[in-house]
Amino acid sequence: MSAPARAPAEQTFVVAPEDPPDAATQIILLSGLASFNEAQAGPDPVRQPENHVCVVARDAAGRVRGGVQGIAVGAWLALDLVWVEGDFRRRGLGARLLDEAEAEGRRRGCEWAILASYDYQAPDFYARRGYVEYARMEDFPRGHTRFQFRKKL
């Protein structure tokens, strides 16, 4: 079996920060990674609308007062947005939204849920809801902590 083709060793590169990178450079980088990933694992599930999960709380007038968004992929429900309007917090709405998102994840075959929260958001809320911290990033951003949580569904 022959080795994969490689670029000639005599090539030289200029490696340097670009701040900010131009739009064309960003497209090349993102497209390159996306092509590689797709060749290894198939189409990006984040880009497939059928994997999106969105649970919304509306008041009697139809105004959005809270919601949860994420994706259901394989065994995982990855929640990237949980929000309740300030006047409606601490009234059980967040718990209802999270319960419904988790139920939707289970309907789609998910066994786990993951999400992130900052110290100024709701890490204690997620812990009370059965989420377990598995990682934290101190000073992200400076002076704050980002927590990563998971929960067995």
Side-chain angles (χ1 to χ4, degrees):
M1 184 158 109
S2 63
R6 296 199 179 260
E10 64 274 1
Q11 282 189 329
T12 59
F13 298 93
V14 175
V15 178
E18 293 186 14
D19 188 23
D22 62 57
T25 298
Q26 290 177 323
I27 290 169
I28 291 167
L29 296 174
L30 290 170
S31 296
L33 180 60
S35 294
F36 174 81
N37 289 348
E38 189 166 315
Q40 305 305 309
D44 182 355
V46 174
R47 295 179 184 213
Q48 297 178 14
E50 65 270 16
N51 293 330
H52 293 192
V53 173
C54 183
V55 177
V56 178
R58 296 178 186 271
D59 66 14
R63 290 183 298 260
V64 174
R65 299 301 189 164
V68 177
Q69 287 186 345
I71 59 168
V73 177
W76 292 91
L77 172 64
L79 301 176
D80 52 44
L81 183 153
V82 180
W83 172 77
V84 174
E85 188 175 323
D87 289 344
F88 301 97
R89 292 180 187 155
R90 302 190 192 296
R91 296 182 181 185
L93 185 55
R96 290 176 59 198
L97 285 162
L98 204 54
D99 286 348
E100 186 58 37
E102 291 168 1
E104 180 62 20
R106 283 190 292 278
R107 281 191 288 275
R108 295 185 189 201
C110 297
E111 300 170 33
W112 293 91
I114 57 172
L115 57 82
S117 184
Y118 290 91
D119 57 359
Y120 55 85
Q121 292 178 326
D124 294 337
F125 167 76
Y126 298 116
R128 287 192 309 273
R129 306 292 308 156
Y131 284 79
V132 176
E133 178 187 334
Y134 69 89
R136 71 171 57 190
M137 298 168 65
E138 304 286 345
D139 282 330
F140 186 81
R142 291 255 183 239
H144 294 284
T145 302
R146 177 182 167 142
F147 301 92
Q148 293 290 140
F149 291 98
R150 71 175 171 242
K151 178 181 179 178
K152 179 76 172 146
L153 298 177

